[in-house]
Amino acid sequence: MTITRKGKYYYGTEDADITIEVTRFSTLNEYIATRFHPATCACGSLDFLLLTDEEEGAGKRVCAECRTEVLLGDSADYIEGADIDNHICVCDEERFGIISGVALYADSNDVRWLYIGCRCRRCDLVGVFAHWKCEGGDADAFMANL
């Protein structure tokens, strides 16, 4: 696991670097991610397209192989009013490895903030591509949908 900064961007060497970047980013945001979940499709693929609407607090990942769509966290409650956009890397790639992280309320297992970290499959850029405050409830149930 190695992250290198080049200009204003960070680059990793493996998907585990996403967790490092989510931790760094969430620390700056003051709601520190303490639990993480790597995205894996039922078909076995680790490559996804990411579509989100941060204002609405909704998003989904789409498997780059089989096109299975998964709503992220509690997005089913907000997707109807969402205007979701496809994320594209600075290198124009659309496929990413994804690891999501959540910050919890103090002395609780309830989700307070969601971070969606990605690593580009072409250039290895790592970053938090979307994040939002959410009242996700129990972290175990919430993270089962990431």
Side-chain angles (χ1 to χ4, degrees), residues 16 38 55 58 75 111 116 120 136:
E55 279 189 41
S75 291
V111 175
I116 304 169
C120 176

Side-chain angles (χ1 to χ4, degrees), residues 22-50:
V22 169
T23 301
R24 184 196 72 78
F25 183 95
S26 68
T27 300
L28 295 173
N29 193 47
E30 298 183 19
Y31 300 116
I32 301 170
T34 56
R35 298 200 40 202
F36 301 91
H37 181 79
T40 304
C41 184
C43 78
S45 178
L46 301 175
D47 297 345
F48 300 93
L49 285 73
L50 176 65

Side-chain angles (χ1 to χ4, degrees), residues 98-111:
I98 298 175
I99 296 179
S100 299
V102 295
L104 305 177
Y105 283 99
D107 302 320
S108 168
N109 194 44
D110 289 342
V111 175

Side-chain angles (χ1 to χ4, degrees), residues 19 22 74 126-127:
T19 303
V22 169
D74 61 353
V126 292

